[in-house]
């Protein structure tokens, strides 16, 4: 019996390898798609081609009905795995980013004499955002990276209406939208967001009204990954993180809690804050809530231990992920930290 199995294995080894290789290549190609409809159409076409090819190979090289049945069973499993994996990958991308604009807030901001619209053109990309000018001349600057549902126009308008700018009155405040958000061109991903963060910083330090030695990077939610990356690549005065995460898979699981085991490999956008933190040269202020329903407190705590200079982790309870900007104690702590680093 054992010899018979070995003989079958040797006989059909090349065919099995061929099926596995083509399957892996197909899956690798499909999970690279960003467009849901196009990805599903390409998936259907590729699976059709693979099924026809495999069936022709089976009819040519396999005569035994029992062996054919085994291969056809495997083929069905391949179809299920490829279809499910591709669909999960495409849908998770659709749910991962929330590009948005707020034309009403944008038009209101244009009338605010303390606001300057930021337009950065580089490498055929257009970066757009806003700058709050609290101080004339060379001034300390906060570069802020917002959450997934934020755009710069809305954040600036909200802060004006709710009178939150008072917590930042000794700093100018800049926010440039992620690719695909607001009026910034491009498509959001960890790569494009990181690239734009570097462009934003380099633009900021080129301005005559920016104190290059007093730049604070601030991030919230998904923006904490961008902020941590930027802090690992450029010289900054301080880093402030609101509701940070350790890596991108945490964000995926906050949307669809399935990316464990082999499904981890379907995570396209890594956002590896836990690795970037190791190259940050300042001691960050980290604000996290134990009742955050999107980013587990354990994820923020894990990240807080990765900074070479240590971190100042402030733990809260009683409010959720979207409540950080509405908490007076959070804003007061940020204000206190900004004053401390400014006077250093």
């Amino acid at each position: 019996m054992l010899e018979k199995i070995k003989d079958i294995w040797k006989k059909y080894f090349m065919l099995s390898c061929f099926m596995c290789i083509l399957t892996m290549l197909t899956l690798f190609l499909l999970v690279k798609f960003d467009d849901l409809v196009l990805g599903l159409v390409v998936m259907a076409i590729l699976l059709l081609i693979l099924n026809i090819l495999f069936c022709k190979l089976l009819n040519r090289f396999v005569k035994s009905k029992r062996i054919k049945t085994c291969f056809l069973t495997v083929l069905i499993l391949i179809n299920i795995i490829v279809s499910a994996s591709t669909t999960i990958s495409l849908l998770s991308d659709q749910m991962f980013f929330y590009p948005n604009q707020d034309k009403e807030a944008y038009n209101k901001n244009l009338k605010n004499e303390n606001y300057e619209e930021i337009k950065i053109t580089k490498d055929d990309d257009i970066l757009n955002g806003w700058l709050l000018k609290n101080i004339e001349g060379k001034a300390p600057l906060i570069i802020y990276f917002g959450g997934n549902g934020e755009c710069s126009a809305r954040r600036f308008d909200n802060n004006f209406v709710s009178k939150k700018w008072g917590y930042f009155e000794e700093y100018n405040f800049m926010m440039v939208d992620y690719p695909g958000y607001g009026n910034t061109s491009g498509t959001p991903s960890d790569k494009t967001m990181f690239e734009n963060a570097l462009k934003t910083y380099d633009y900021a330090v080129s301005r005559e009204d920016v104190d290059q030695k007093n730049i604070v990077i601030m991030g919230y939610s998904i923006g904490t990954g961008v902020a941590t990356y930027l802090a690992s690549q450029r010289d900054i005065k301080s880093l402030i993180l609101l509701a940070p995460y350790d890596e991108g898979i945490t964000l995926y699981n906050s949307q669809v809690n399935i990316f464990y085991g082999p499904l981890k490999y379907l995570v396209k956008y890594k956002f590896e804050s836990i690795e970037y933190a190791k190259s940050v040269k300042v001691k960050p202020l980290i604000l996290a809530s134990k009742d955050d329903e999107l980013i587990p407190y354990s994820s923020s705590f894990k990240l807080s231990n990765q900074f070479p200079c240590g971190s100042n982790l402030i733990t809260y309870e009683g409010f959720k992920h979207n409540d950080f900007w509405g908490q007076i104690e959070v804003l007061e702590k940020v204000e206190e930290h900004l004053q401390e680093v400014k006077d250093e």
Side-chain angles (χ1 to χ4, degrees), residues 91-154:
L91 287 175
S92 66
D93 283 354
Q94 295 292 311
M95 293 183 289
F96 194 84
F97 295 111
Y98 301 98
N100 63 83
Q101 297 177 328
D102 192 325
K103 292 183 178 180
E104 181 180 353
Y106 176 86
N107 291 329
K108 288 171 65 178
N109 291 345
L110 289 173
K111 300 175 183 178
N112 192 316
E113 61 181 15
N114 293 324
Y115 289 176
E116 176 187 336
E117 185 178 6
I118 300 296
K119 293 182 180 180
I120 307 170
T121 303
K122 189 171 184 180
D123 302 330
D124 297 325
D125 293 325
I126 299 174
L127 284 68
N128 188 259
W130 294 93
L131 172 68
L132 167 69
K133 302 192 73 172
N134 280 322
I135 303 171
E136 293 298 327
K138 195 175 287 290
L141 176 69
I142 296 169
I143 302 177
Y144 173 71
F145 298 96
N148 211 346
E150 287 189 88
C151 67
S152 62
R154 184 179 301 165

Side-chain angles (χ1 to χ4, degrees), residues 6 27-28 97 107 112 117 123 146 158 169 202 215 227 247:
K6 287 182 177 179
L27 185 56
F28 178 79
F97 295 111
N107 291 329
N112 192 316
E117 185 178 6
D123 302 330
N158 285 347
E169 61 185 6
D202 293 342
I215 294 179
E247 54 186 337

Side-chain angles (χ1 to χ4, degrees), residues 97-249:
F97 295 111
Y98 301 98
N100 63 83
Q101 297 177 328
D102 192 325
K103 292 183 178 180
E104 181 180 353
Y106 176 86
N107 291 329
K108 288 171 65 178
N109 291 345
L110 289 173
K111 300 175 183 178
N112 192 316
E113 61 181 15
N114 293 324
Y115 289 176
E116 176 187 336
E117 185 178 6
I118 300 296
K119 293 182 180 180
I120 307 170
T121 303
K122 189 171 184 180
D123 302 330
D124 297 325
D125 293 325
I126 299 174
L127 284 68
N128 188 259
W130 294 93
L131 172 68
L132 167 69
K133 302 192 73 172
N134 280 322
I135 303 171
E136 293 298 327
K138 195 175 287 290
L141 176 69
I142 296 169
I143 302 177
Y144 173 71
F145 298 96
N148 211 346
E150 287 189 88
C151 67
S152 62
R154 184 179 301 165
R155 170 49 55 204
F156 271 58
D157 184 51
N158 285 347
N159 281 9
F160 176 76
V161 172
S162 60
K163 300 181 180 179
K164 291 188 174 68
W165 286 135
Y167 296 100
F168 306 93
E169 61 185 6
E170 296 192 34
Y171 285 76
N172 290 342
F173 190 104
M174 179 186 293
M175 179 181 179
V176 173
D177 285 306
Y178 302 132
Y181 288 64
N183 293 322
T184 295
S185 63
T187 302
S189 70
D190 50 356
K191 182 175 183 290
T192 58
M193 290 163 75
F194 292 163
E195 289 174 349
N196 279 14
L198 294 175
K199 293 174 184 176
T200 299
Y201 176 93
D202 293 342
Y203 164 79
V205 297
S206 72
R207 291 178 61 108
E208 294 183 357
D209 58 357
V210 172
D211 181 356
Q212 299 179 9
K213 296 181 180 180
N214 208 338
I215 294 179
V216 176
I217 306 301
M218 180 176 174
Y220 164 58
S221 189
I222 196 173
T224 61
V226 185
T228 303
Y229 171 78
L230 178 57
S232 73
Q233 300 295 312
R234 296 290 190 268
D235 292 328
I236 63 170
K237 188 67 175 290
S238 187
L239 174 65
I240 301 173
L241 303 175
L242 280 62
Y245 51 89
D246 53 349
E247 54 186 337
I249 194 169

Side-chain angles (χ1 to χ4, degrees), residues 213-331:
K213 296 181 180 180
N214 208 338
I215 294 179
V216 176
I217 306 301
M218 180 176 174
Y220 164 58
S221 189
I222 196 173
T224 61
V226 185
T228 303
Y229 171 78
L230 178 57
S232 73
Q233 300 295 312
R234 296 290 190 268
D235 292 328
I236 63 170
K237 188 67 175 290
S238 187
L239 174 65
I240 301 173
L241 303 175
L242 280 62
Y245 51 89
D246 53 349
E247 54 186 337
I249 194 169
T250 299
L251 299 178
Y252 273 80
N253 282 324
S254 72
Q255 303 296 322
V256 185
N257 195 23
I258 59 172
F259 294 96
Y260 302 97
L263 290 180
K264 283 185 176 180
Y265 297 102
L266 295 180
V267 172
K268 187 182 298 183
Y269 307 121
K270 306 302 182 183
F271 286 99
E272 295 176 311
S273 297
I274 199 166
E275 292 300 321
Y276 309 134
K278 298 174 183 178
S279 299
V280 174
K281 299 175 183 178
V282 298
K283 181 179 180 179
L285 171 66
I286 298 178
L287 308 176
S289 172
K290 287 188 175 181
D291 293 312
D292 191 323
E293 79 284 12
L294 290 183
I295 296 178
Y297 177 78
S298 58
S299 177
S300 300
F301 182 80
K302 184 177 180 181
L303 176 67
S304 71
N305 292 319
Q306 302 303 312
F307 294 91
C309 298
S311 66
N312 182 15
L313 173 63
I314 307 298
T315 301
Y316 298 96
E317 295 183 12
F319 62 86
K320 297 184 180 297
H321 185 76
N322 292 327
D323 299 332
F324 275 81
W325 270 100
Q327 301 302 310
I328 293 177
E329 61 265 42
V330 170
L331 296 173

